[in-house]
Amino acid sequence: MAAVFIHHTDTPNDYACADVPRTLRNLYTGQTRDQRWGDLGYNFLVDKCGTIYEGRAGGADRPVIGSHTIGFNQGTVGIAAIGTFGKGTPVPAAMEHAIAALAAWKLSLRGVDPTSKVRLTSTNDKSRYAKGTSAEFDAISGHRDGYATDCPGEALFARLPAIRGMAAGLQGRSPRASSGAELPAALQSLHRGSQ
């Protein structure tokens, strides 16, 4: 994947993490029945406890094309934070770290620095850019960067620079870094099961 787009699900924040599977079923129903997408649009979802869920089937170890950012689904991955992150809403640290770890891993598969800029070409006139237009994005961008929306909410959007920095550190691109980006623990069982 050349880039990651961060979303929020625009659902309540007062959920118990044990109840997230019910939220995912509701999202699945809405996106498959109402949007007619055939599956969840997001490649991954992350809850406030830092648990990572596979969204669109098969995306843990393959470049599955999602339906998350009109015009920029190809060559990107969509990660949705479960909840609503309007201005002043705290973004849980566990959620931020999980998003950063997931983005670091997915971008490392292509050698992409999470703090870099990437060029993407729009495939749809309904995006912020006319079909065929090349545009520059942060390697980890918000949904609003590619589409006219408030998503991922003011609070989460404001945290993207910190998430980029964490992701770069996990890839070993800073002095405080770990030895490299690895598959997040929450996804290791999914990855092993697909081999």
Side-chain angles (χ1 to χ4, degrees), residues 21-176:
R22 182 178 334 126
T23 299
L24 296 179
R25 284 191 295 275
N26 291 338
L27 287 167
Y28 177 84
T29 298
Q31 293 185 2
T32 57
R33 183 191 62 207
D34 302 339
Q35 302 293 333
R36 301 180 187 200
W37 288 341
D39 199 348
L40 281 168
Y42 315 114
N43 299 97
F44 298 94
L45 299 98
V46 178
D47 72 17
K48 64 185 178 183
C49 295
T51 304
I52 298 169
Y53 295 88
E54 182 179 27
R56 186 154 285 218
D61 63 342
R62 295 180 309 202
V64 172
I65 298 172
S67 293
H68 52 85
T69 307
I70 291 177
F72 300 102
N73 291 315
Q74 295 179 0
T76 67
V77 64
I79 301 173
I82 299 172
T84 301
F85 296 96
K87 187 174 183 177
T89 304
V91 181
M95 175 181 275
E96 282 189 26
H97 187 269
I99 290 170
L102 180 56
W105 170 63
K106 290 302 274 186
L107 292 172
S108 74
L109 298 175
R110 284 289 197 65
V112 177
D113 179 341
T115 62
S116 69
K117 302 284 187 182
V118 297
R119 290 206 73 79
L120 303 173
T121 301
S122 176
T123 62
N124 192 308
D125 286 330
K126 292 181 181 177
S127 80
R128 283 195 180 273
Y129 301 90
K131 183 177 180 178
T133 302
S134 175
E136 186 175 77
F137 293 91
D138 289 303
I140 300 175
S141 288
H143 184 191
R144 66 174 62 180
D145 293 319
Y147 185 72
T149 178
D150 290 334
C151 183
E154 289 296 326
L156 183 52
F157 189 77
R159 295 300 302 157
L160 292 184
I163 290 170
R164 289 181 200 112
M166 280 188 273
L170 289 166
Q171 283 188 351
R173 295 180 186 271
S174 75
R176 300 182 309 266

